[in-house]
Amino acid sequence: KNGLTENTEYLGSIPRNDALKLTLESSVLLLPLNKADNAMGRIPGKLFEQMRAHVPVLCLGPKECDVENILNETNTGKCFEYSDYKGIKDYVLRIFDAFQNENDFLQIKNIEKYSVENQVKKIISYINEF
C-alpha cells in the first residue's frame, strides 16, 4: 500500500541462531506489544535479548508501561503508541542520521541490572523474604 515492497524481505521462520545474528546486524529492532489490557505490566523476554544486542529498540505499546520504563532507564530504546506516527518517524530518522554519520546512537546505562544473573538474584531475595 505504501510502496515498501521493494524494500521488504520476508524471511519466514528461521533458526534461533540465525535470528540472533540478524538481531546483532540490525540498525533498529521492533518490539510490538500486544494491544491488551495487561500490556502495561507485561515484559516480553524478547526485550532483554534486544537490549543486550546494543541496537536501538523501537517499541510499540502503551505509554508509561513497564517496557517503556526499562527502555528509558537503560537508554536502549523508545516506546511509542501505535498511532504516534510522527514520534515513530522522528525516532527512526534520528537512528538513520546517526547511522549515516557513524555516530553511536545509544548511550546505554544500567543494563547489567537486567542480566539473567541479577534477575535471578532478585527473585531469590523475594523468596528468602518468606
Side-chain angles (χ1 to χ4, degrees), residues 14-22 46 49:
I14 59 173
R16 178 168 169 70
N17 286 341
D18 292 345
L20 291 174
K21 183 178 180 217
L22 289 169
K46 181 67 63 192
E49 284 182 359

Side-chain angles (χ1 to χ4, degrees), residues 29-47:
L29 300 170
L30 179 64
L31 181 64
L33 301 179
N34 291 340
K35 289 184 178 181
D37 294 337
N38 66 351
M40 295 296 287
R42 293 196 72 228
I43 303 172
K46 181 67 63 192
L47 169 66

